[in-house]
Amino acid sequence: MQSILVVNAGSSSVKFQVFDISERNKPTRLIKGQVDGIGSRPRIRADTAGKKPLIDETFDREKVPDIASALQTAGKWLRESQKVELSAVGHRVVHGGPQYDRPIRVDTKVLADLTRYEPLAPLHQPNNLAPIRALLKSSPSLTQVACFDTAFHRGHDQLADHYAIPADLYAEGVRRYGFHGLSYEYIADRLPQIAPSVADGRVIVAHLGSGASMCGLKQLRSCESTMGFTALDGLPMGTRPGQLDPGVILYLIEQKKMTAGQVQDLLYKDCGLKALSGISNDVRELQGSSDPRAKFALDYFVYRIVLQTGLLAAALGGLDAFVFTAGIGENSASIRKAVVEKLEWMGASIDAAANEAGRTVISSPSSRIAIYVIPTDEELMIARHTLATLNGSSEAAAS
């Protein structure tokens, strides 16, 4: 069975999916799994696309101490148990920098380029690149394709792309990139099928998860994003602060005598909903808590979503539709309700029953803005890009 393996590697887990590529331009999902607890209590789990369990096995910590060994463990199981023959591996890579604006086959030079962007995405980029590095060493002839979260936003107008800083800094790559691009690209692909009447109009997509951002689409293209140079900007997230006055960083360094490493750890690991609530970075836990700090954290999250909606609507010149996606956006009816209620001044109104049921369309008939809930599928986008690259119909370009 000729297949594509899609890999999304984190700090202590490797998520993977297998797609059959028998049909030339249509990858079909077969297996979805992950190896988690890496370095502590490693465990591999996988199901079929129809959610039939295939494996659930735990290993000694020493047998799966890192990302590379986790990938080897998953690969061995796929080969021996599922008879999977890989034609290519597609990887989610968060940051493509100024050079890579579309998927690309990875070799040692590309890997070296992408390693330079690790400081811009320290939670993600090193882990994204670890399995690529391991496979280049163990299977150098296997095609690997890097798919970037920044690529979908690379067509931004220069006004949206720049910071008000010296030109030489922009030239070396200090600019507004935007992230979660694979998610937004999938939503843009689905909109003509789900909402043809608004697909070519002005649409805001809210990717709300542990990492959260929003994107303004016009004619299905990204025009503006809440994230910028790194994945710290914009909305508050599980452990990241979102929009922050740069003076706060100067204060931490000059007055609190924090090192750059300490500031980085604070901003990526100890801010956001975790800091505001003092309880958890998980929205589900906060919603189940009676602590007033939990309510404050959720209210703040909603407030910032609404503020950024106004910003994106201004960039788009109006608003025709709003889409909720990702873990919180797809599953939290209460967050969706709170956001829409605060957008009533724009003419938005919600169908309470449709929202509670998690239907695709949750706006009321009287709403001037169409409101949707559309599950995202970043892995399918990676599989499509990988297959297209394998078939020679997609080549990376340097901008």
Side-chain angles (χ1 to χ4, degrees):
M1 178 178 62
Q2 292 299 310
S3 308
I4 283 174
L5 176 66
V6 170
V7 176
N8 186 352
S11 60
S12 61
S13 67
V14 175
K15 297 178 182 178
F16 63 89
Q17 296 193 22
V18 176
F19 290 81
D20 176 29
I21 55 171
S22 301
E23 293 187 51
R24 179 175 173 83
N25 296 312
K26 188 180 179 182
T28 303
R29 184 181 284 106
L30 299 175
I31 297 170
K32 181 177 182 179
Q34 68 178 32
V35 183
D36 55 23
I38 298 169
S40 57
R41 193 169 183 269
R43 179 187 183 190
I44 182 172
R45 290 172 288 171
D47 301 328
T48 66
K51 298 186 178 181
K52 176 184 176 181
L54 294 172
I55 186 174
D56 188 341
E57 184 176 348
T58 303
F59 302 88
D60 292 335
R61 179 173 59 185
E62 295 76 17
K63 288 192 175 183
V64 189
D66 52 28
I67 295 293
S69 58
L71 191 63
Q72 290 172 352
T73 300
K76 181 180 179 181
W77 173 73
L78 288 170
R79 287 192 306 272
E80 296 180 357
S81 174
Q82 303 302 305
K83 309 304 179 186
V84 170
E85 296 179 25
L86 293 181
S87 297
V89 181
H91 301 266
R92 179 197 178 203
V93 177
V94 165
H95 216 304
Q99 187 171 359
Y100 298 108
D101 64 356
R102 65 195 70 178
I104 188 172
R105 291 177 187 253
V106 182
D107 56 21
T108 53
K109 178 186 179 302
V110 172
L111 179 61
D113 288 341
L114 298 178
T115 301
R116 289 163 40 212
Y117 307 129
E118 288 186 352
L120 306 187
L123 285 189
H124 303 90
Q125 196 88 346
N127 299 314
N128 296 159
L129 300 184
I132 297 177
R133 188 173 289 110
L135 285 172
L136 278 175
K137 183 177 180 180
S138 65
S139 306
S141 62
L142 179 63
T143 296
Q144 296 192 77
V145 178
C147 302
F148 304 104
D149 262 341
T150 50
F152 185 65
H153 305 293
R154 289 301 308 282
H156 282 180
D157 183 273
Q158 287 197 20
L159 291 175
D161 198 34
H162 275 67
Y163 290 110
I165 57 176
D168 58 340
L169 289 173
Y170 177 84
E172 70 179 56
V174 183
R175 59 187 72 176
R176 298 188 71 251
Y177 290 99
F179 296 87
H180 293 130
L182 291 163
S183 175
Y184 295 128
E185 185 179 12
Y186 177 79
I187 299 299
D189 182 70
R190 290 286 290 145
L191 275 171
Q193 304 155 45
I194 293 174
S197 62
V198 299
D200 285 332
R202 302 158 300 182
V203 181
I204 291 175
V205 184
H207 177 105
L208 306 179
S210 180
S213 71
M214 297 167 68
C215 176
L217 302 177
K218 185 180 288 187
Q219 295 181 326
L220 302 177
R221 296 176 63 86
S222 173
C223 294
E224 183 59 271
S225 171
T226 59
M227 281 183 170
F229 182 54
T230 70
L232 285 171
D233 201 5
L235 299 178
M237 294 163 252
T239 60
R240 285 170 269 170
Q243 186 179 17
L244 192 69
D245 183 336
V248 174
I249 310 303
L250 297 177
Y251 174 81
L252 295 175
I253 294 171
E254 293 179 355
Q255 302 301 318
K256 304 296 287 184
K257 306 304 179 185
M258 294 176 70
T259 66
Q262 289 172 329
V263 172
Q264 178 173 286
D265 284 346
L266 172 70
L267 296 181
Y268 279 98
K269 300 176 181 178
D270 292 316
C271 289
L273 301 181
K274 176 183 178 182
L276 288 171
S277 69
I279 299 170
S280 174
N281 63 320
D282 191 318
V283 164
R284 292 166 296 187
E285 290 187 36
L286 298 180
Q287 289 174 327
S289 173
S290 59
D291 192 312
R293 296 176 301 168
K295 181 180 184 304
F296 177 77
L298 294 172
D299 288 347
Y300 184 88
F301 185 53
V302 169
Y303 175 64
R304 289 289 162 176
I305 293 169
V306 173
L307 287 184
Q308 295 292 339
T309 299
L311 180 151
L312 293 173
L316 294 171
L319 186 60
D320 301 308
F322 190 105
V323 177
F324 290 97
T325 194
I328 299 168
E330 294 168 24
N331 297 299
S332 178
S334 62
I335 292 292
R336 295 194 300 259
K337 178 176 181 289
V339 169
V340 176
E341 285 179 346
K342 289 187 178 297
L343 293 176
E344 288 180 352
W345 65 273
M346 298 180 73
S349 61
I350 199 165
D351 181 323
N355 180 49
E356 286 295 329
R359 294 175 189 159
T360 300
V361 181
I362 62 170
S363 47
S364 71
S366 62
S367 181
R368 294 205 302 269
I369 298 168
I371 306 168
Y372 300 91
V373 180
I374 304 177
T376 193
D377 197 337
E378 295 158 299
E379 290 78 14
L380 179 58
M381 291 309 306
I382 294 170
R384 288 175 179 172
H385 285 311
T386 302
L387 181 57
T389 303
L390 194 63
N391 291 336
S393 60
S394 176
E395 296 181 0
S399 54

